[in-house]
Amino acid sequence: MSGRIIADRYELSTLIGQGGMGQVWTGYDQRLDRRVAVKLLRPDRVAGAEAEELRRRFVRECRVTAQVDHPGLVTVHDAGTEGDELYLVMQFVDGADLGDHLAEHTPYPWEWAVSVAAQLCAVLSAVHAVPIVHRDLKPRNIMVRQDGTISVLDLGVASVMDSDTTRLTHTGSPIGSPAYMAPEQAMGGAVGPYTDLYALGIVLYELLSGTVPFDGATVLGVLHRHLYEAPLPLGRLRTGLPDGLEPLVMRLLAKEPQDRPGSAQEVYQALTPLLPARGVPRGTPLDPARPFLRPHAPWPDHPLAPAPRPGRPPAAPGGGEGADVATAVDDVKRLLGEGRITQAVDILGAILPTAARQHGEHSAVVRTLRKQYAATLLDDGQYRRALPELRRLADEYAAEAGTADPRSLQFRYEAAQCLEQLGEPGAALAEYRALLPYFENQYVSTDRDLPLEVRRRIGHLLLALGDRPAAQDTLLRLLHDAEQRYGPAHPLPAEVRRTLHWLGLV
């Protein structure tokens, strides 16, 4: 189904999830050239004769949930129907779902667990104020972003499926996730904010112990345990938890809603003394404690660190070891011709490892692909990702043909532009100054315009660094040479005169 277009706009790319009710795909918004996540639901598999009513309720519910404005909720971009399916187009989240995050960090630090729970409380408090009940809170519906913040998925979807007419599928299974289902939800009773708080307790219990409190071989067996069994005390599964944490989890897991905390805000207040105090985070991605250690701080912590790649890169056309590199290149050319740069970048990034295995890391094919990848990243404004690619290409050409090789110099020049765009004026200035003698040497470069452009950039970087005397000297000399080459009416000398006038020198 890869390549299928939904609503004449959203192109499906990679299947990342599948269940009884539908599928989740990465995709591209062709109109705005951005990554999105697309959920496809099959109401006929859930509601049978009630499918048409479910479609209407789905669209209506999506309109309501789209009005909830909170940074911890994944943004809903679009929703509607496509043939027999319902589609939901959401913001693409770069991170890991909480289930994978837990699996990769066992035992899960209790500070992280508390931080995740507190962020979830903030989201649930905003959602319950609408009022909306999530109904399907679980690790697979919770994303940990690269900066440690939490995003909740699928708000409103479960509420559509969990109506009187759709509570059971045609096989008799309940809609939802049994391991995280509150007793009242399992019995088909009224749900409310207290239902989400029970699910929050299950999630917190799982993070702290590594397992859900109630599991079993059958759905009915799991639901029976929710209704009648007490969870095993956390202290028997893990030591070293702070005082007050286990009692809070046990309150969240109370069988009767009235015995649970009164609101998500109340749970947050109970968690507050356990949250990390402000300090210096470890600087690693996917750290849920970071938003409390360093609130509202920019990410990444180190500006020049390459931006983390998406956790699940899109598959190249054809996929796998046998992916057709030539087909991928043709697709890239087509996408670039259509202005869909973001999608072209992803295809190039995905096909590079396959091309390296097929043709060799240092083959001409791979180098051509890497050059196209770097150029496309640059065109897409992804300067942080383009920078290491450009530096690598520059170093390779310099090693093969010397530091004055025109190809190496061009890649260094583009890398300097990346540094300039990334707000590193000192590093960019040093690189431009190192390049200028090569560009002024007619035996190395035949482009007579490029040295003047580099000098213009040097002058403006000197201004950015506060060195006005050096900027004045550079720009005055540039003005003289630019007027000699282009004449006084040309845009370049005109711009330099305006800058000098601003400095009060002309």
Side-chain angles (χ1 to χ4, degrees), residues 406-470:
R407 297 163 299 181
S408 176
L409 295 174
Q410 179 61 32
F411 288 123
R412 286 180 61 187
Y413 177 57
E414 291 172 353
Q417 293 178 63
C418 289
L419 290 169
E420 191 175 353
Q421 292 294 328
L422 290 169
E424 291 292 323
L429 176 62
E431 189 66 5
Y432 285 135
R433 280 176 162 168
L435 288 168
L436 185 57
Y438 291 107
F439 292 149
E440 290 181 326
N441 185 336
Q442 61 180 333
Y443 296 107
V444 174
S445 174
T446 58
D447 188 344
R448 296 182 58 198
D449 297 326
L450 186 55
L452 298 177
E453 172 60 19
V454 172
R455 289 165 60 188
R456 183 192 70 81
R457 291 177 179 271
I458 289 173
H460 282 276
L461 287 169
L462 288 167
L463 284 176
L465 292 167
D467 192 347
R468 291 194 175 189

Side-chain angles (χ1 to χ4, degrees), residues 348 352 368-380 382 385-387 389-390 393 411 414:
L348 283 166
L352 272 169
T368 299
L369 286 172
R370 285 175 41 221
K371 287 161 63 176
Q372 181 65 69
Y373 183 49
T376 309
L377 285 169
L378 200 61
D379 287 344
D380 200 30
Q382 299 191 46
R385 290 174 62 186
L387 181 59
E389 301 292 338
L390 293 166
L393 287 164
F411 288 123
E414 291 172 353

Side-chain angles (χ1 to χ4, degrees), residues 242-305:
D243 294 340
L245 184 53
E246 181 175 353
L248 175 61
V249 176
M250 294 301 115
R251 284 184 63 206
L252 287 166
L253 295 179
K255 304 300 182 186
E256 300 298 330
Q258 62 268 25
D259 294 332
R260 300 171 201 155
S263 66
Q265 191 165 5
E266 181 181 329
V267 180
Y268 184 91
Q269 294 298 331
L271 291 169
T272 299
L274 307 177
L275 290 172
R278 291 199 179 196
V280 179
R282 299 181 305 167
T284 56
L286 305 172
D287 180 354
R290 185 181 182 278
F292 300 98
L293 291 167
R294 200 175 178 209
H296 309 296
W299 174 262
D301 288 312
H302 306 290
L304 288 181

